[in-house]
Amino acid sequence: MSHTSSRAPGQGPLSKHDIAALIARDIPHGSYVNLGIGQPTLVADHLSPTAGVVLHTENGMLNMGPAAHGDEIDPDLTNAGKVPVTELPGAAYFHHADSFAMMRGGHLDICVLGAFQVSARGDLANWHTGAPDAIPAVGGAMDLAIGAKQVFVMMDLFARDGTPKLVSECSYPLTGLACVNRVYTDLAVFDITEHGVSVRQTFGIEVHDLADRLGLPLLTGSPR
Amino acid sequence: MTARLCADADDAVAGVRDGSTVLVGGFGMAGMPVALIDALIRQGAKDLTVVSNNAGNGDTGLAALLAEGRVRKVICSFPRQADSWVFDGLYRAGKVELEVVPQGTLAERLRAAGAGIGAFFCPTGAGTLLAEGKETREINGRLHVLEYPINGDVALISAHRADGMGNLVYRKTARNFGPVMATAATTVVVQVRETVETGAIDPETVVTPGIYVDRVVKVADHA
């Protein structure tokens, strides 16, 4: 695949909604998809009903609908973030072991996850800061990271302190090894390939500037 | 032994011993057996190991049991939540032990316990902090972690409807851990919104067959 610059340099980085819309466009028709808690849930707002994408929620449901409001709210029907949701026609319920067997068994086409860091090899760190006073809590993050056929990460490319989140080696505790396929960020979209990190698209930044700021070698053009 | 319909929640949790491992259903508040947990608080068993996806929300249910100082250890996937202040305080004060297990591995360890599986190799968590100290093996080019079953002495779960055999039907995502926990404990106690005559549940729709269920109690408000 060849690198394209969707916006001229100087135009600002993508907003979270722009990134979500971009991911939604890249999800093939009819895919089974799990959207992680946090930013990735925004992707649902950009999926057209005609796209035929089926959303999986780890707490035991396929064909999850949008958030519930008013009279629709049912305490028995929530998403993985414990937010009340709705069901779409063709929905199915199942227990937790089945839900994670579905995930671990490679039956989901795509999952979209947030991240603290992604390494050039596709290692993912998104569950624990490693801070000594942090209470560890993993939820379904490790199962999702290794289970879906393709793992997309959605994140800002740089942390608030300016340090890159796409790195040669993760410094945060890992969620999964070599599990990320693609990274969508405010400044660029990357594929993690066996040859290295390949730039698919940039938004308002040149590839050489991106490589400088990341301190990583970046491939452009077809990785094959 | 077929299921016994109990007079009330206190009757349903009678006999839980100190030091028991208690499996508690629910994902957040969906499927949380609040009436049974409240009864367990009154019953008084202590030094408990609680296995549940979360470690209590707000000040009721599991959080109340923790606040009473009755839980020695929590095995869960996601203790830290916006409203998990009871657990957070106890954990930081060193008053409760925590074993964090990836959610799917937690479900599968419970399933394995109920299915008589001695242990299983699972790719989840391989190469991470949560696999430290665990046996690993490369299978078909992929690293796997050896995981052991989690057996409960007691399971407290919530379902929508039960018949006289203890056959259970759940409702929507409140099903979550109920069916696997029902298979994994010596004594399985279920709170339901409604009980129906034996034969009134279409056998094709039974989710948990009554063979797994020991005690059923109808709880008015599903509180």
Side-chain angles (χ1 to χ4, degrees):
Chain A
M1 60 207 75
S2 65
H3 158 256
T4 58
S5 183
S6 304
R7 292 190 177 197
Q11 268 188 294
L14 297 193
S15 70
K16 288 175 180 40
H17 278 283
D18 292 338
I19 305 173
L22 197 62
I23 295 172
R25 271 208 304 280
D26 285 354
I27 294 176
H29 184 92
S31 297
Y32 285 93
V33 174
N34 185 297
L35 301 176
I37 295 170
Q39 277 194 32
T41 57
L42 296 177
V43 174
D45 300 340
H46 298 275
L47 288 168
S48 143
T50 58
V53 170
V54 177
L55 294 182
H56 169 265
T57 181
E58 68 193 27
N59 51 319
M61 181 186 194
L62 281 169
N63 237 338
M64 175 177 65
H69 299 287
D71 290 348
E72 293 172 337
I73 292 174
D74 179 339
D76 284 348
L77 179 49
T78 70
N79 66 13
K82 282 111 184 169
V83 175
V85 291
T86 52
E87 66 183 29
L88 295 177
Y93 296 108
F94 32 86
H95 64 64
H96 245 81
D98 279 350
S99 183
F100 281 82
M102 206 174 276
M103 201 183 280
R104 199 191 301 108
H107 305 281
L108 295 179
D109 296 301
I110 293 171
C111 79
V112 185
L113 297 171
F116 297 140
Q117 290 174 327
V118 176
S119 84
R121 254 194 327 275
D123 295 345
L124 172 68
N126 77 348
W127 75 284
H128 190 18
T129 61
D133 63 335
I135 298 176
V138 68
M142 288 187 181
D143 308 271
L144 279 167
I146 60 104
K149 288 180 190 151
Q150 287 197 84
V151 174
F152 291 175
V153 161
M154 174 178 178
M155 66 179 191
D156 290 329
L157 188 53
F158 294 91
R160 280 185 197 160
D161 66 1
T163 54
K165 296 172 69 174
L166 182 62
V167 294
S168 55
E169 294 284 343
C170 295
S171 56
Y172 287 118
L174 295 181
T175 307
L177 274 63
C179 57
V180 176
N181 302 97
R182 190 176 293 168
V183 184
Y184 290 86
T185 76
D186 48 344
L187 294 173
V189 179
F190 306 91
D191 280 319
I192 307 290
T193 76
E194 55 186 297
H195 307 288
V197 179
S198 174
V199 182
R200 279 174 74 88
Q201 273 178 286
T202 58
F203 312 108
I205 187 167
E206 296 290 352
V207 174
H208 62 88
D209 291 332
L210 204 54
D212 280 352
R213 285 187 66 191
L214 290 171
L216 283 178
L218 296 176
L219 308 170
T220 54
S222 172
R224 286 175 196 91
Chain B
M1 200 77 73
T2 49
R4 176 168 77 83
L5 186 61
C6 300
D8 54 31
D10 294 289
D11 181 22
V13 303
V16 177
R17 293 200 181 91
D18 291 354
S20 294
T21 295
V22 184
L23 315 180
V24 179
F27 183 87
M29 293 308 287
M32 177 69 69
V34 175
L36 296 177
I37 299 167
D38 287 347
L40 185 63
I41 293 171
R42 293 190 294 272
Q43 190 264 352
K46 57 182 190 298
D47 199 26
L48 302 172
T49 294
V50 167
V51 183
S52 196
N53 187 61
N54 302 108
N57 303 77
D59 292 299
T60 58
L62 203 44
L65 185 69
L66 282 155
E68 292 283 323
R70 307 267 282 283
V71 179
R72 182 178 63 79
K73 180 178 181 182
V74 172
I75 301 176
C76 73
S77 86
F78 208 82
R80 187 190 64 227
Q81 296 181 268
D83 58 354
S84 61
W85 49 78
V86 172
F87 175 83
D88 297 2
L90 291 169
Y91 179 77
R92 292 189 199 285
K95 289 181 176 164
V96 65
E97 241 182 281
L98 171 65
E99 179 181 345
V100 173
V101 180
Q103 199 172 139
T105 302
L106 184 65
E108 194 63 15
R109 287 175 66 186
L110 291 161
R111 199 196 69 80
I117 301 295
F120 59 96
F121 279 104
C122 179
T124 309
T128 75
L129 280 179
L130 296 188
E132 276 181 5
K134 294 186 174 181
E135 193 177 331
T136 58
R137 184 180 299 183
E138 194 173 303
I139 301 171
N140 290 330
R142 191 171 203 197
L143 197 61
H144 287 67
V145 184
L146 186 63
E147 298 284 358
Y148 289 89
I150 299 173
N151 291 277
D153 297 300
V154 183
L156 305 182
I157 64 178
S158 171
H160 182 60
R161 180 182 298 133
D163 69 8
M165 300 295 291
N167 292 315
L168 304 179
V169 174
Y170 301 83
R171 197 169 163 274
K172 303 186 185 284
T173 58
R175 180 183 306 199
N176 56 69
F177 282 91
V180 280
M181 286 184 171
T183 69
T186 310
T187 301
V188 173
V189 186
V190 187
Q191 73 172 63
V192 295
R193 292 190 179 105
E194 56 182 63
T195 52
V196 296
E197 293 295 310
T198 296
I201 297 177
D202 176 356
E204 297 284 1
T205 67
V206 170
V207 175
T208 292
I211 188 171
Y212 296 115
V213 176
D214 298 291
R215 304 175 191 175
V216 173
V217 62
K218 185 179 164 182
V219 173
D221 186 33
H222 206 61

